[in-house]
Amino acid sequence: MVKKLLVDVDCGVDDAQAIMMALAVPDVQILGITSVHGNSSIENVCRNILRVLKVCDQLNIPVFRGASKPLLGDVLSASLFHGSDGLGDAPDPNAPGLELLQEEGAVSAIIRIVNEHPGEVSIVATAPLTNLALAVKLDPTLPQKLKGLYIMGGNTDARGNTTICGEFNFTADPEAAYIVLNEYLCPTYIASWEFTCLSKLPWEFCDDWLAQDTDKARFMKKIFQHSMAMCENERISKELVSGAGFISCDSYAMAAVIDDTYIIEYDHKAVTVELTGEHTRGMMVVDHLEMLKTTHKVYILKKVDLEKFKVLMMNSLK
């Protein structure tokens, strides 16, 4: 049974890692990749997706340009960690041109592709959720036609990595995160910031992973240098929950859609997003007391099979 995916990314280094993980799995079919603001400008994000597809020899996968800024307020940037171009500022004179993008916009493409394959498509969202929020406003029936939604974003213990209490993807567009968590009533899986930190891999694994003698591994080594160096940065080391290590945030959400058996333990809770707090805007709120007036609950990943995860990671650069 082929797994049909739509991938919505702000293609930084870990989005690249997640895309490459999916492309290496034979029974996974990516029907399209949609771009959104986040780790870098929308032009850079589009270019980065095309670069990843080129090194994987998969430029036949359609890429769609999406929202260039959040529903409200200013654009946040993650250039400190990902480099100003989103892929570690590693120059690529042979990068594919933006003329390879589809004419159709991302939001329209999401609605069309899901409607063409009702009940079959899972969306993996590893970025600010602006495109998904716009899509559900245009087609409120969209979520019920999805097989599942897999999100890297949000937080469970108010540990921020962008603001005091806010994780980047949710804080970059809190209104969009709020809309998606409240209106996508399909099976929803969330890899939160704290979870990814608590599921980190040793740096020794990363060394072996990057040492593979392939074009993909050489590409990853080049784009990952900047982020690896930034892990020593004082601010970034404060953000990390439970110490240093190799954390490919977006890949945890991708692994969940690829292999159901990878999830060992989860919380099944209602969630929402704080929109107004001075320190907590963008924070994901987990309803342990069941006080939210909703029946929809999401699966918040707590524990995963890291050996299976390592195999998926290794295969991504083979």
Side-chain angles (χ1 to χ4, degrees):
M1 183 70 179
V2 173
K3 293 188 168 148
K4 296 185 168 114
L5 304 186
L6 262 176
V7 187
D8 188 67
V9 296
D10 56 344
C11 200
V13 179
D14 55 336
D15 306 76
Q17 291 163 356
I19 293 168
M20 291 171 83
M21 173 186 281
L23 291 175
V25 180
D27 63 346
V28 166
Q29 182 188 6
I30 296 183
L31 300 176
I33 301 179
T34 50
S35 62
V36 68
H37 68 92
N39 288 325
S40 192
S41 70
I42 196 74
E43 287 77 18
N44 284 339
V45 171
C46 291
R47 196 172 288 111
N48 294 348
I49 296 167
L50 294 168
R51 284 176 66 186
V52 172
L53 291 177
K54 183 183 174 191
V55 77
C56 296
D57 202 20
Q58 298 267 2
L59 276 170
N60 55 315
I61 294 174
V63 180
F64 304 90
R65 182 191 172 106
S68 59
K69 51 187 187 204
L71 299 177
L72 292 176
D74 298 324
V75 176
L76 267 186
S77 160
S79 59
L80 173 68
F81 189 70
H82 288 279
S84 59
D85 74 348
L87 285 189
D89 294 323
D92 184 358
N94 302 314
L98 295 180
E99 71 279 357
L100 294 178
L101 295 176
Q102 302 297 308
E103 288 284 309
E104 185 182 16
V107 177
S108 161
I110 291 168
I111 294 169
R112 175 181 59 77
I113 291 168
V114 171
N115 278 292
E116 283 170 0
H117 306 272
E120 293 181 36
V121 178
S122 294
I123 293 180
V124 184
T126 60
L129 293 165
T130 317
N131 290 338
L132 272 63
L134 291 166
V136 75
K137 290 301 182 192
L138 287 172
D139 180 359
T141 68
L142 181 78
Q144 69 206 45
K145 295 173 196 152
L146 280 176
K147 187 174 179 189
L149 172 60
Y150 294 77
I151 295 170
M152 189 281 131
N155 48 4
T156 50
D157 306 325
R159 288 286 299 250
N161 61 14
T162 302
T163 58
I164 295 175
C165 295
E167 175 275 333
F168 178 81
N169 286 342
F170 279 26
T171 304
D173 194 340
E175 280 71 23
Y178 179 91
I179 289 167
V180 169
L181 291 187
N182 283 283
E183 296 185 26
Y184 277 73
L185 305 182
C186 52
T188 302
Y189 299 80
I190 295 181
S192 71
W193 168 243
E194 295 95 339
F195 156 77
T196 63
C197 288
L198 294 168
S199 306
K200 64 174 66 76
L201 297 174
W203 279 117
E204 293 76 42
F205 169 81
C206 183
D207 295 339
D208 294 342
W209 179 61
L210 295 174
Q212 298 182 80
D213 184 17
T214 64
D215 288 342
K216 292 181 196 174
R218 284 183 279 276
F219 170 78
M220 182 54 64
K221 190 169 184 180
K222 191 170 74 168
I223 65 170
F224 201 24
Q225 289 302 321
H226 175 84
S227 302
M228 286 163 75
M230 287 314 292
C231 289
E232 307 296 313
N233 171 291
E234 187 184 353
R235 162 65 200 262
I236 285 172
S237 60
K238 282 192 179 116
E239 292 169 9
L240 297 170
V241 180
S242 91
F246 171 38
I247 307 168
S248 180
C249 293
D250 296 338
S251 302
Y252 294 95
M254 185 62 80
V257 74
I258 291 171
D259 180 359
D260 318 334
T261 66
Y262 145 91
I263 304 173
I264 297 171
E265 195 184 323
Y266 56 78
D267 272 337
H268 196 212
K269 306 271 184 191
V271 290
T272 188
V273 178
E274 176 56 54
L275 295 180
T276 55
E278 181 184 347
H279 300 299
T280 54
R281 177 168 155 76
M283 181 178 97
M284 187 167 87
V285 177
V286 183
D287 183 20
H288 295 285
L289 302 180
E290 302 200 341
M291 290 170 71
L292 289 174
K293 292 177 177 56
T294 174
T295 52
H296 178 58
K297 295 182 175 182
V298 303
Y299 299 95
I300 303 168
L301 304 192
K302 282 190 81 172
K303 196 171 174 204
V304 291
D305 187 329
L306 288 176
E307 293 311 309
K308 286 183 174 166
F309 185 66
K310 286 179 185 171
V311 171
L312 288 169
M313 289 291 284
M314 287 306 281
N315 288 346
S316 68
L317 300 186
K318 275 193 173 147

